[in-house]
Amino acid sequence: MKFSLIVLIVLLALVAAFGLQNPGEHTVRFLQLSWVTSMLGVIVASFAAGVLGGLLAGLPGFFRRRAEASAAAKRIRVLEAEVGDLKKTVATLTPPSTGNAQ
C-alpha cells in the first residue's frame, strides 16, 4: 500500500513537471472535433480516460468475484448448520459398548 502510494506520488510529480515545462497551447483534433488546450489539459484528460478504461475493464471480474464470494458464504452457512446438527446428534447418542465387562 505504501509503495503504491509512493509510486503514484512520484508519477503525479513527473506529470506535473512535464505539464509545467510545456505550457504552450496545443490544438487537439479528434474525429470532427478540434479545440485548443494546454499540454497539461491533454495529459490530465488522457490520464482520466486511462483510469476510466481500467475501471471499466475490471468491472466484469469484480462482479464475478463478488458472486463467487456470495455463493461461498452461502455454502459455508449451510455446512455450519450441518455441523451443528451433527454435533447435536452425536451428543444424544450413547457410546457403544466395547464388550469388555470388568
Side-chain angles (χ1 to χ4, degrees):
M1 178 70 179
K2 289 182 181 181
F3 178 73
S4 62
L5 185 61
I6 291 170
V7 169
L8 179 64
I9 290 171
V10 169
L11 179 64
L12 290 176
L14 290 173
V15 169
F18 182 79
L20 291 173
Q21 291 178 355
N22 296 289
E25 293 184 346
H26 300 279
T27 303
V28 178
R29 292 180 186 88
F30 180 71
L31 299 175
Q32 297 295 326
L33 304 172
S34 176
W35 61 92
V36 177
T37 185
S38 68
M39 179 62 79
L40 186 58
V42 173
I43 292 170
V44 169
S46 299
F47 180 75
V51 168
L52 183 63
L55 288 174
L56 291 175
L59 278 179
F62 169 77
F63 287 119
R64 182 177 53 252
R65 284 187 302 275
R66 193 170 92 177
E68 289 172 356
S70 175
K74 183 178 179 182
R75 180 71 176 141
I76 288 171
R77 285 192 299 273
V78 168
L79 291 174
E80 286 176 343
E82 287 180 19
V83 168
D85 292 342
L86 288 173
K87 284 182 179 180
K88 289 178 187 174
T89 304
V90 168
T92 61
L93 294 176
T94 57
S97 63
T98 59
N100 295 336
Q102 292 181 346

